[in-house]
Amino acid sequence: MGQEGLSRKIYPSDLTDEQWAIVEPLIPPAKPRPRGGRPREGDMREVLKTIFSLNRSSCQWDMRPHEVLPKSTVYDYGAQWRDDGTWAKMVKALRERTRVAAGREPTPSAACIESQSVKTTEGGGPERGEDGGKKINGRKRHLLVETLGLVLAVLMTSASLDDGVAALILLGPVHAHDFPRLVTIFADAKYHHHALEAWLAAHRAGWHFAVQTCPEGTKGFTPLAKRWVVERTNAWHGRPRRNSKDDERSVESSTAMMQISNINLMLNRLDPCGCPEFHYRKNAA
C-alpha cells in the first residue's frame, strides 16, 4: 500500500500511493505570501488521512490518536476546504473520473433523489426538527445521486422540512449546463409536488420526475428499479461512524462530512487496493 517509511500505525482509512496520486492535484496549493511569512509546513497527505480517519471512526477532534495529526494542524484545512468549495470540487472531479472508469459518460442522463432523517446530538445546532413520519428529532439528508450512486448534490435541513420543498433548494445549484445529458430524476411519491413540478417547467424544462411507488399491498422496504441506488448510497454513507448520527454543529459541516465519505468511497473504487468496505459490485447499476 505504499506505506514504506511510515513511522506511525497504519489505519484502514489511510491513502494508498495510487489514491494519493489521484487526489493530490485536487488539493488547493498554498496561498502566496507577497510579504513573506511562514510557508505551508503541513503534509497534505497526512492532513487528508487524518480527516478520513475522523470521518470513519467518529472520534472527536480533540481525541485523535497520537499517531495522526492533531486538531490544531488539521481542523483549519478541513474547515477551509468546506468553506471554499474544495470538497465539492473533489466530489465532482472524482465522480466524473469514476464514471469514465466504469465505462460511462462523465455526466449522467438520469439521477435519483431521496431524503434520510437522522438523529442529532445535543450540540447539533439550530437546524433541527421533528420528522413526524419517522418519529425522529434531528436533520434530513437530501441526496441527488446518479445511477452509480455517486453524489451530485447534498443538502442538510431540519427533519421537519417537507421533501418537495427541500427538493427545490437541493436542485437550485444543479444547473443544466453542468449536466447537459440529465433528463430523468427517479423519485418516490413524496416528490409528487405541484410547486416542484412548476419550478422544473420554468427553470429546468428538459428535466422530469419519474415518480415510482411500491406495488399495492406491499409492506416494509421494497427496492424499486433505478431508485434503489440512492438507498444503497445511504447505506454506504452509513458505514463511516461519523454519519451514524449527525454530530456536527452546522449543516455546512454535516454536508462536508457526507462529501468526505463519498470522496473516500470513490477513491476506493478507483484504486481497489484500499479499504474493501467501499468496493462496488462490478455489475452495479
Side-chain angles (χ1 to χ4, degrees):
M1 293 180 61
Q3 303 294 333
E4 294 82 358
L6 194 63
S7 59
R8 65 162 176 79
K9 178 180 178 180
I10 296 175
Y11 289 95
S13 55
D14 284 351
L15 293 164
T16 65
D17 289 343
E18 292 77 10
Q19 291 169 348
W20 174 239
I22 292 168
V23 76
E24 182 182 15
L26 305 177
I27 294 177
K31 294 181 179 180
R33 297 175 179 271
R35 297 184 179 179
R38 189 173 181 178
R40 174 189 281 178
E41 294 181 355
D43 183 333
M44 293 297 100
R45 183 171 180 174
E46 287 297 314
V47 168
L48 204 55
K49 286 179 183 179
T50 303
I51 293 173
F52 283 167
S53 174
L54 181 137
N55 180 255
R56 289 282 303 281
S57 68
S58 190
C59 183
Q60 294 176 354
W61 279 104
D62 291 331
M63 299 178 67
R64 300 302 311 126
H66 295 299
E67 295 90 350
V68 299
L69 298 179
K71 174 184 176 181
S72 58
T73 303
V74 177
Y75 180 83
D76 287 346
Y77 284 112
Q80 175 186 322
W81 297 344
R82 174 197 67 198
D83 297 339
D84 67 12
T86 294
W87 294 125
K89 292 174 184 175
M90 285 185 182
V91 169
K92 178 180 182 296
L94 293 175
R95 180 183 65 240
E96 292 178 355
R97 182 165 179 164
T98 303
R99 284 183 57 84
V100 170
R104 307 294 183 92
E105 294 290 332
T107 61
S109 61
C112 308
I113 191 171
E114 181 59 289
S115 70
Q116 180 188 44
S117 295
V118 292
K119 294 180 180 180
T120 53
T121 60
E122 60 186 15
E127 294 90 354
R128 292 184 291 176
E130 179 76 24
D131 181 341
K134 300 289 180 61
K135 307 298 183 184
I136 290 177
N137 183 27
R139 290 186 180 136
K140 273 185 183 176
R141 297 166 176 161
H142 304 270
L143 287 183
L144 182 71
V145 306
E146 45 80 268
T147 52
L148 287 177
L150 309 177
V151 168
L152 302 177
V154 57
L155 173 70
M156 307 297 298
T157 71
S158 164
S160 61
L161 186 65
D162 178 77
D163 288 344
V165 175
L168 293 170
I169 307 171
L170 176 68
L171 294 175
V174 183
H175 297 288
H177 59 76
D178 293 324
F179 300 98
R181 302 176 63 250
L182 186 59
V183 175
T184 304
I185 301 176
F186 295 98
D188 61 18
K190 297 178 295 186
Y191 296 93
H192 186 62
H193 191 279
H194 294 301
L196 179 57
E197 292 171 358
W199 183 87
L200 281 179
H203 302 283
R204 304 289 187 271
W207 300 2
H208 73 274
F209 271 78
V211 175
Q212 299 172 301
T213 58
C214 294
E216 187 175 350
T218 300
K219 295 182 179 180
F221 173 71
T222 303
L224 298 176
K226 300 297 183 183
R227 204 180 68 79
W228 67 272
V229 299
V230 70
E231 305 286 358
R232 182 182 61 181
T233 300
N234 283 332
W236 281 337
H237 286 168
R239 291 173 181 171
R241 295 189 66 184
R242 191 77 176 193
N243 300 334
S244 60
K245 274 189 175 182
D246 190 331
D247 290 330
E248 311 307 322
R249 294 187 179 182
S250 70
V251 293
E252 292 80 13
S253 292
S254 296
T255 299
M257 282 298 165
M258 298 299 289
Q259 292 167 334
I260 290 165
S261 296
N262 209 243
I263 290 166
N264 201 359
L265 185 152
M266 288 187 285
L267 286 173
N268 281 285
R269 174 67 191 273
L270 291 166
D271 177 37
C273 294
C275 177
E277 285 190 28
F278 292 96
H279 289 178
Y280 289 59
R281 294 199 307 256
K282 291 296 183 183
N283 61 347

